[in-house]
Amino acid sequence: QAGHAYGLRLFGARAVESMRMEKGFLHWKAELNTEFDPFETGLARFVKLDKGDFIGKEALQKRRSLGPKRKLVTLSLKTNHAPARSGASLLRDNKVVGTITSGDYGHRVGMNLAYAFVDAELAHTGAIIELDLCGQRVETQIIDPSPYDPTFARMRG
């Protein structure tokens, strides 16, 4: 009732999931976990290797010098019948090249969205990869992150 004057109303967890994916926000234990390093997850801007010693510095320096094996990408699925599910495989030429971490429909952008870690050489905007979705092969395309308000102008307004 307190939010009624402001047009606020109840919404559910699936709505929150949809909105976070449209904004490019990552989820702990889905996209953010110990299996992937900050260079693979796109969080290198938070790694300050030029500061003093810290636990893991040597390992991070080595990882950076080798380059990422995989990269986190945003996908647009060419179907609306189901969202991608965590753990689903992405394929190119019948070879597994990535794994879905999250998926949901972005109602504000009108796209079936997913996040996935894919082989680094495929991780570029416009790349086409197939998704095994409920036993069917579905075409996906890597898109720029944060399809809704990518410059965060609405959040600053």
Side-chain angles (χ1 to χ4, degrees):
Q1 289 177 341
H4 182 71
Y6 304 101
L8 301 178
R9 58 183 186 243
L10 293 176
F11 61 92
R14 292 294 303 267
V16 172
E17 182 74 355
S18 173
M19 291 186 288
R20 90 161 173 95
M21 295 196 67
E22 290 176 318
K23 276 300 295 158
F25 293 162
L26 308 181
H27 188 275
W28 180 247
K29 295 291 184 186
E31 292 80 36
L32 303 172
N33 60 48
T34 57
E35 186 178 344
F36 303 102
D37 68 43
F39 309 110
E40 293 173 318
T41 310
L43 299 175
R45 66 188 176 276
F46 298 113
V47 178
K48 304 297 180 202
L49 293 173
D50 58 350
K51 69 179 187 179
D53 262 357
F54 59 89
I55 296 171
K57 181 176 182 175
E58 188 177 318
L60 283 172
Q61 288 172 321
K62 183 178 178 182
R63 290 296 297 241
R64 184 179 67 177
S65 71
L66 295 173
K69 295 177 189 175
R70 300 158 293 204
K71 287 188 176 181
L72 182 65
V73 298
T74 304
L75 298 166
S76 175
L77 283 61
K78 305 297 180 190
T79 186
N80 289 327
H81 81 275
R85 290 287 170 228
S86 176
S89 295
L90 291 162
L91 304 121
R92 164 88 53 98
D93 299 325
N94 290 318
K95 178 184 172 235
V96 175
V97 295
T99 305
I100 298 290
T101 58
S102 298
D104 214 329
Y105 191 80
H107 297 278
R108 295 177 295 182
V109 296
M111 286 189 266
N112 195 352
L113 299 169
Y115 292 147
F117 281 96
V118 301
D119 292 350
E121 63 272 8
L122 297 175
H124 56 86
T125 300
I128 304 294
I129 306 172
E130 286 186 310
L131 166 65
D132 182 349
L133 182 64
C134 304
Q136 288 183 294
R137 295 283 178 95
V138 173
E139 184 179 292
T140 71
Q141 183 173 20
I142 296 177
I143 61 172
D144 291 332
S146 187
Y148 179 80
D149 188 30
T151 63
F152 296 95
R154 291 182 56 93
M155 291 180 74
R156 293 185 191 113

